[in-house]
Amino acid sequence: MLIRQETKEDYAQIYDLVKTAFSTIEHSDGNEQNLVTALRNSGAFVPGLSLVAEIDGRIAGHIMFTEGKVGQDTVLILAPLSVLPEYQQQGIGTALIAEGHKAAQELGYQYSLVLGSEQYYPRSGYRPARGLGIEVPVGMPDENFMAIKLQENAKPIKGAVTYAKEFGI
Ligand SMILES: CC(C)(COP(=O)(O)OP(=O)(O)OC[C@H]1O[C@@H](n2cnc3c(N)ncnc32)[C@H](O)[C@@H]1OP(=O)(O)O)[C@@H](O)C(=O)NCCC(=O)NCCS
């Protein structure tokens, strides 16, 4: 498996992949593939943090981290994360998160936030964001809104979360 930054040539394949990955899940608005396109065209986009997992020349998974804010501080928001159904349960999602964190650390980002399964993200180091002083956005369950500190000496952050407007939150 090769994890690398996405390129323009990947966009169509990523669109289909995200659509397929989310098509079967309950907490989906069916719009995640359009969110990827919108975020890519937004000021929140970080080219080095939109990654694909390639297996035998086929893109099996995709992850995107974009910029948001906690109070006045810039943080990353992990969303969405997608693995094609036939490639799930092989560690690809976990590997994409780990590579994304590594790239984010190198770029100097201090925190990443995610709204997702409290069964899944803690294995990649995420913990309830409230414990770090981050205000959970209205309507999001405490246990599903998580954060990870990416740098050991990250300065404490606190306050309300601002998502890129493309999220519509
Ligand atoms: C969630 C997703 C990215 C995981 O990718 P993956 O490559 O299959 O994950 P990994 O192989 O790294 O990890 C598999 C483990 O995570 C668990 N897991 C996977 N998805 C989960 C979920 N939604 N909730 C809880 N646990 C989950 C699996 O049961 C498995 O557990 P095990 O190791 O104890 O058997 C993939 O299932 C997917 O694309 N789902 C549809 C889109 C989606 O829900 N994205 C996340 C939105 S927050």
Side-chain angles (χ1 to χ4, degrees), residues 21-22 24-25 81-84 87-95 114-117 119-121 123:
F22 278 90
T24 57
I25 75 155
L81 169 63
S82 322
V83 175
L84 282 177
Y87 290 98
Q88 290 177 8
Q89 308 279 15
Q90 300 173 28
I92 295 172
T94 304
V114 71
L115 173 67
S117 165
Q119 306 293 324
Y120 186 66
Y121 289 99
R123 65 180 76 201

Side-chain angles (χ1 to χ4, degrees), residues 111 127-136 142 145-147 156-158:
Y111 291 89
R127 297 289 177 266
R130 191 181 288 290
L132 290 167
I134 300 167
E135 287 172 25
V136 178
D142 263 26
F145 191 67
M146 294 167 273
I157 52 172
K158 64 174 185 194

